[in-house]
Amino acid sequence: MHILVSNDDGVMAPGIVALARAMVPLGKVTVVAPSDNQSAAGHRKTMHKPLRVNRVKFPVEGVTAYSTSGSPSDSVALALLGFIAEPIDLVVSGINRGPNQGQDLTYSGTVSAAFEAVIWRKPAVAFSLCDHSEDAEYDAAAEIARQVVALKLYENLPPLTLLNVNVPALPLDEIRGFKITRQGLRQYNDELVERLDPSGRPYYWIGGGAPTGDVTEEGTDLWATDQGYVSITPIDLDMTSYAVIKDLEARGIAELKIAL
Ligand code: MN
């Protein structure tokens, strides 16, 4: 098995090193990831400037690694569209520093790397650790990633569907097990911060506190990790609301003539 590893925290982030190391017993491992931290890059495709790729010395024996000037999804596209000659069987992304739950998925470069993989019909799993801190410890999450891949949970997923895995920040022996979950409800605590540049012109940061969310609703990703479980959420890139289709059809919208 040939496993492609990417992320959004950058090719030298401790989480991707831990993930690549965990994949080594399972197959051949190649890393293609952004050169710098691109957290919250979303599913951005670079179209108006060239992409540069550099071979990098990676701290895991036997792993070939490349840094790119592109986004996380650019990195996966580069690899799958032929920069990596040897066919790839599975794409894993992470381990992200910080959770990717609820509406985070629309911002997440980690999950977008997996979105890109399923667009090119490769199975994909995104891994995130529920710890934002600089000195986050990835060993337990890496062992969870190894187990998820060894269990082949990514096999037989429908088209455009990936697995989004969030691991609680606990020692391995304190993690209570796996829960299959749905997306929960995030609460963002963003604040607009205005400052003045040396010329006196205002500039802005989107600042504020870390996101919180509803951890009380049983069965969600936010609930599972709060309870000490590994959260595994199947994510479908088909964002259609089938419930609203039914509702609009029931209101006869499709039969209405266009008003002239
Ligand atoms: Mn990140």
Side-chain angles (χ1 to χ4, degrees):
M1 180 153 84
H2 186 195
I3 303 169
L4 175 71
V5 182
S6 195
N7 78 342
D8 75 359
D9 293 338
V11 71
M12 286 303 166
I16 196 171
V17 174
L19 182 57
R21 188 174 282 127
M23 294 299 108
V24 164
L26 304 171
K28 178 184 163 72
V29 177
T30 302
V31 171
V32 182
S35 59
D36 56 335
N37 189 339
Q38 302 230 3
S39 293
H43 198 168
R44 190 183 75 234
K45 176 178 279 189
T46 300
M47 296 178 70
H48 304 291
K49 56 184 181 183
L51 296 170
R52 303 283 180 182
V53 186
N54 288 299
R55 179 86 186 258
V56 293
K57 197 169 153 47
F58 196 76
V60 181
E61 184 80 19
V63 172
T64 308
Y66 300 89
S67 74
T68 84
S69 62
S71 68
S73 57
D74 288 332
S75 301
V76 170
L78 270 165
L80 298 183
L81 293 175
F83 179 80
I84 302 300
E86 192 177 328
I88 288 159
D89 303 299
L90 171 68
V91 177
V92 294
S93 179
I95 301 166
N96 190 57
R97 191 178 108 188
N100 279 304
Q101 300 175 314
Q103 293 71 51
D104 298 342
L105 274 63
T106 63
Y107 298 102
S108 171
T110 305
V111 179
S112 292
F115 286 163
E116 189 68 19
V118 299
I119 281 175
W120 298 108
R121 296 289 188 264
K122 298 294 180 187
V125 188
F127 294 98
S128 302
L129 173 65
C130 297
D131 186 347
H132 278 112
S133 60
E134 289 272 0
D135 56 357
E137 169 55 61
Y138 292 90
D139 286 356
E143 171 55 19
I144 294 295
R146 190 196 64 75
Q147 292 182 21
V148 166
V149 173
L151 289 166
K152 298 190 182 295
L153 299 183
Y154 56 86
E155 283 189 343
N156 303 316
L157 294 172
L160 300 182
T161 303
L162 59 92
L163 297 178
N164 182 40
V165 178
N166 282 273
V167 181
L170 293 169
L172 197 61
D173 61 358
E174 291 176 28
I175 296 176
R176 295 169 69 188
F178 295 100
K179 290 284 184 191
I180 308 303
T181 59
R182 63 184 183 277
Q183 284 174 269
L185 194 61
R186 261 285 183 234
Q187 165 75 47
Y188 294 101
N189 302 304
D190 296 353
E191 287 169 18
L192 190 63
V193 177
E194 182 183 287
R195 292 187 181 154
L196 296 180
D197 73 12
S199 314
R201 287 177 307 186
Y203 66 94
Y204 300 90
W205 289 94
I206 297 175
T212 50
D214 180 1
V215 297
T216 66
E217 194 189 328
E218 195 170 330
T220 68
D221 47 10
L222 288 156
W223 167 84
T225 53
D226 184 68
Q227 293 289 313
Y229 293 98
V230 174
S231 166
I232 303 178
T233 315
I235 299 293
D236 188 346
L237 260 184
D238 179 353
M239 292 182 274
T240 310
S241 170
Y242 291 93
V244 173
I245 285 182
K246 278 205 171 63
D247 179 50
L248 289 173
E249 282 175 349
R251 289 160 60 186
I253 302 294
E255 282 74 44
L256 289 180
K257 291 268 188 290
I258 304 295
L260 297 173

